[in-house]
Amino acid sequence: MPDESSLLRQPRLAAAVPPKLLLVAQSYWPEPAGSAPMMTDLATAFAAAGCGTTVLTARPNYPGNQVYDGYADGAQDSTTVNGVRIERLTTIPPAGGGMKARLLHEGVLHAGFASALAKGRVGRHGAVLSLCPSILSVALADRFTAPGGRHVAIVHDIQSGLAGALGMGGKAAVKAIRALERAALNRADAIVVLSDPMRAVLRELGVTRPITVIPPHVDADAVHPLPRPDQPPTALYSGAFARKQGLEQVLDMARHLAALMPEARVLLRGQGGLEEELKAQAAAMALTNLQFSPLAPKDRLNEALAEGDVHLVPQRPEGAAFAMPGKAVTILAAGRPFVATCLPGSALSALEAEIGAFLCTPPDEPLALAQAVARLLKDRALATAMGRRGRAWVEGNATRAVALDRYATLLTQQSHGE
């Protein structure tokens, strides 16, 4: 979680924070990837600003397939950390990542959320933030909102779009998720998405409520540029090993990079349902320039980011309109460039044109990806200039203070407007 010294630097806000806030989200600290770091930072920032903050969440399990050690017995189901009250519910982690496993995971968890409300473990609040994924969190958050209160739904993933794009479930399942998204989001007072393409998708889905774009944010005090360590030129991927990342592109890229720049290495740092499959593929391809390692602990995040001279943000092109990788903003805060795989018109393509702090290559073209990585690894001046532009953009648009002020405004405003 954010350390106490960074919380003490919380700046004065233009908008008043609500007196009490409930955040309903299936992922939270100590989960190190996905939406958990961003939501943890937001919750602790609200608490530091004087808002009584409660988080309703799952026992931590992401991005692996089992509940973390020390949490499975429920001993840490009710705790307070950095001023945030955390209430955790049991779940069954989605081993394998298929639709049935995900539905079981989310169904068990959200039945527990409903029970927590019915039994008075967590009451109704005048200010509620919910996070999708899961859309069930958004649907239930409406029940946790007191009469006259404000419910703001934050959409990190448009689940129906991702399910359809990645071939998870049949047409009937995708249609059902789409109907649930439309109904749940249209009951919220306001909606936050991470990019303009995501807003357009929700409008096409039939969502009529006010939608605001707030990009992923980062604690820019905790994540900041560090000197390059003494190491071989390194391309780094850090995050979940899941289908939507399209990590098979990175394995093929590593093969091409070995020919373009033999002294370079590719480091895959993470975990998830595809870990063993990726390791087997890498071994079969005899990729001697590729290494795997676990995710770095929270207290080493900044140093771990500095290990990447160039970072990798691969995406499956089918799902690019339905999500925005939060890791991109964290990399920019660290003052490092990255190479993303994305199509024209996607959120990352638009951001590249705006700030010029990274490169985009077409999806499923590993040679082009390798050539872009090699270009940045060889041209230190270009990489440094991109890193500085990315850091400057974060300081003006994606810090904790900027995000907190915008969320506080949405939670306390009386009138609606996009």
Side-chain angles (χ1 to χ4, degrees), residues 315-366:
Q315 297 182 102
R316 289 276 296 273
E318 307 94 318
F322 309 111
M324 169 74 170
K327 67 166 61 70
V329 175
T330 304
I331 296 165
L332 296 177
R336 293 295 195 268
F338 63 85
V339 182
T341 61
C342 61
L343 294 171
S346 65
L348 283 178
S349 176
L351 189 60
E352 178 200 21
E354 177 185 349
I355 64 176
F358 57 94
L359 299 177
C360 291
T361 63
D364 298 320
E365 293 191 19

Side-chain angles (χ1 to χ4, degrees), residues 21-65:
L21 169 69
L22 175 65
L23 195 155
V24 183
Q26 67 178 15
S27 293
Y28 194 72
W29 171 87
E31 293 174 333
S35 58
M38 194 187 314
M39 300 316 295
T40 301
D41 191 68
L42 187 62
T44 52
F46 267 108
C51 175
T53 305
T54 298
V55 172
L56 186 64
T57 189
R59 292 174 183 171
N61 60 88
Y62 185 81
N65 56 13

Side-chain angles (χ1 to χ4, degrees), residues 350-408:
L351 189 60
E352 178 200 21
E354 177 185 349
I355 64 176
F358 57 94
L359 299 177
C360 291
T361 63
D364 298 320
E365 293 191 19
L367 176 57
L369 180 58
Q371 290 170 335
V373 169
R375 177 187 174 193
L376 291 176
L377 288 176
K378 292 177 179 179
D379 193 337
R380 293 282 177 81
L382 175 61
T384 298
M386 283 188 164
R388 288 173 177 163
R389 287 196 290 270
R391 175 68 189 189
W393 180 86
V394 167
E395 290 176 350
N397 298 275
T399 64
R400 171 198 290 162
V402 170
L404 183 62
D405 205 49
R406 298 189 70 186
Y407 280 109

Side-chain angles (χ1 to χ4, degrees), residues 262-285:
E263 70 274 24
R265 66 168 179 158
V266 179
L267 178 59
L268 297 185
R269 179 181 286 138
Q271 64 186 91
L274 295 184
E275 182 172 355
E276 295 308 316
E277 181 179 329
L278 289 169
K279 287 180 176 179
Q281 290 177 7
M285 295 170 69

Side-chain angles (χ1 to χ4, degrees), residues 8-251:
L8 290 174
R9 292 192 293 269
Q10 181 66 49
R12 185 182 300 276
L13 300 176
V17 298
K20 295 178 69 175
L21 169 69
L22 175 65
L23 195 155
V24 183
Q26 67 178 15
S27 293
Y28 194 72
W29 171 87
E31 293 174 333
S35 58
M38 194 187 314
M39 300 316 295
T40 301
D41 191 68
L42 187 62
T44 52
F46 267 108
C51 175
T53 305
T54 298
V55 172
L56 186 64
T57 189
R59 292 174 183 171
N61 60 88
Y62 185 81
N65 56 13
Q66 62 183 10
V67 175
Y68 291 6
D69 291 343
Y71 288 88
D73 62 357
Q76 299 191 63
D77 278 357
S78 296
T79 57
T80 298
V81 181
N82 279 355
V84 178
R85 173 190 169 198
I86 308 170
E87 296 292 336
R88 300 186 186 275
L89 280 298
T90 188
T91 189
I92 301 174
M99 178 64 78
K100 290 183 179 179
R102 288 177 179 273
L103 288 175
L104 179 62
H105 162 59
E106 295 187 12
V108 170
L109 173 63
H110 290 91
F113 283 4
S115 176
L117 176 63
K119 294 180 179 179
R121 179 176 169 184
V122 177
R124 296 180 184 274
H125 283 62
V128 178
L129 286 173
S130 64
L131 176 68
C132 182
S134 161
I135 193 59
L136 292 175
S137 295
V138 176
L140 278 169
D142 188 63
R143 298 170 58 184
F144 282 94
T145 307
R150 294 276 295 173
H151 169 208
V152 176
I154 307 170
V155 180
H156 280 189
D157 288 350
I158 302 174
Q159 289 182 285
S160 62
L162 286 174
L166 302 181
M168 299 174 62
K171 292 182 179 179
V174 172
K175 185 177 181 180
I177 298 171
R178 187 177 293 124
L180 178 58
E181 286 173 334
R182 182 167 49 249
L185 292 171
N186 277 331
R187 287 201 301 268
D189 294 289
I191 299 162
V192 170
V193 294
L194 304 179
S195 69
D196 284 315
M198 292 179 70
R199 173 161 54 188
V201 170
L202 290 186
R203 289 295 185 224
E204 292 174 3
L205 188 66
V207 176
T208 59
R209 305 303 291 162
I211 303 176
T212 299
V213 176
I214 302 179
H217 75 276
V218 63
D219 180 355
D221 292 321
V223 178
H224 54 83
L226 289 176
R228 180 182 182 275
D230 184 12
Q231 62 178 20
T234 299
L236 170 64
Y237 171 84
S238 181
F241 295 157
R243 295 285 176 197
K244 71 178 181 180
Q245 274 73 36
L247 286 165
E248 65 280 355
Q249 300 173 86
V250 175
L251 301 188

